[in-house]
Amino acid sequence: MKFKSVFDIIGPVMIGPSSSHTAGAARIGRVARTLFGREPKWVTVHLYGSFAKTYKGHGTDVAIVGGVLDFETWDTRISTSLDLAKEKGIKVQFEEEDAHTDHPNTARVRIGDEDGDLELVGISIGGGKAEITELNGFELRLSGNHPAILVMHNDRFGSIASVTQTLAKHEINIGHMEVSRKEMGKEALMVIEVDQNVSDDLLRELESCDHILQVAKVVD
């Protein structure tokens, strides 16, 4: 799977009336698309707080779907993304939720096809920026301020050490690292923010480390 840049932290170059409701929302959708690695067959979006109340008027719906279609925030096709998704045969559904969330601009995005699916929770924090706070049930804090590596692995002795030793061998400095798991001995997730961009060759080497299931990168 190839992964490319999903964040633009320079500023909100965007289509739409609101950086939070449009540019930030588009980034959330594009993160989902990038991590899924291909065009999905269906998209379900659960909107909370301000997103749920104003998503049609502020263009949050077309922004998220535009991101899922892999459009940049400034791409004029975002305004017609719902029609484009329909033309591609992608089923899109939006759900307005009443549940309270920690941030008013919160979206839970589920995308998938016959071969798999992915679910993430993203928040739009203003200025066209977004953070990912959950991925497939794992809590994380991914802001895009630094290149990051996401490593899905079996919760086994030595798995973290094998990854960090490989990064050290290539002189990749770790700025921040989080590890979460749902249950002892089952799947776990490492989120590693680094100071240098990571090559595809290094990603393949990380995938060969002990107990590693999948590796993805998110670059700024």
Side-chain angles (χ1 to χ4, degrees):
M1 295 172 65
K2 289 186 176 181
F3 299 87
K4 52 189 174 181
S5 176
V6 293
F7 290 102
D8 172 10
I9 62 173
I10 296 175
V13 179
M14 63 181 189
I15 300 296
S18 166
S19 62
S20 293
H21 287 235
T22 308
R27 286 193 171 88
I28 293 170
R30 198 156 184 242
V31 172
R33 166 62 182 268
T34 300
L35 295 179
F36 191 59
R38 58 191 181 274
E39 187 172 274
K41 297 295 185 183
W42 53 266
V43 181
T44 302
V45 182
H46 298 264
L47 298 168
Y48 302 84
S50 179
F51 268 1
K53 296 176 182 177
T54 63
Y55 72 98
K56 290 183 178 179
H58 284 189
T60 305
D61 50 354
V62 296
I64 291 177
V65 173
V68 170
L69 293 177
D70 207 22
F71 298 160
E72 296 276 6
T73 57
W74 42 261
D75 196 317
T76 56
R77 291 176 296 174
I78 282 180
S79 61
T80 59
S81 63
L82 293 176
D83 292 332
L84 293 172
K86 185 176 181 179
E87 291 175 6
K88 290 173 174 286
I90 301 173
K91 182 180 179 181
V92 177
Q93 183 176 353
F94 285 90
E95 300 286 347
E96 302 171 23
E97 302 290 352
D98 296 326
H100 176 75
T101 55
D102 292 335
H103 194 281
N105 297 331
T106 299
R108 180 179 296 273
V109 180
R110 295 185 64 241
I111 64 175
D113 58 19
E114 61 275 7
D115 295 321
D117 56 48
L118 175 145
E119 178 178 287
L120 61 75
V121 176
I123 59 175
S124 180
I125 60 175
K129 299 179 182 179
E131 289 185 356
I132 306 304
T133 60
E134 184 180 314
L135 175 63
N136 287 342
F138 292 98
E139 293 185 0
L140 69 154
R141 182 68 64 177
L142 186 61
S143 67
N145 292 328
H146 302 281
I149 307 167
L150 279 62
V151 182
M152 190 70 68
H153 62 101
N154 288 318
D155 182 29
R156 297 288 188 276
F157 174 83
S159 57
I160 296 174
S162 64
V163 169
T164 56
Q165 288 169 5
T166 299
L167 293 175
K169 182 178 70 173
H170 290 270
E171 299 183 347
I172 301 294
N173 189 54
I174 297 174
H176 179 76
M177 180 174 179
E178 295 181 359
V179 181
S180 59
R181 64 184 183 184
K182 299 177 185 177
E183 185 179 346
M184 185 174 65
K186 303 295 183 180
E187 286 187 354
L189 176 68
M190 296 182 227
V191 179
I192 308 169
E193 290 189 342
V194 297
D195 294 336
Q196 300 87 13
N197 284 323
V198 178
S199 68
D200 290 339
D201 288 339
L202 178 52
L203 287 185
R204 286 189 285 270
E205 185 173 347
L206 290 172
E207 288 177 340
S208 68
C209 291
D210 295 339
H211 311 300
I212 303 305
L213 301 174
Q214 184 181 4
V215 179
K217 69 176 178 180
V218 180
V219 298
D220 63 351

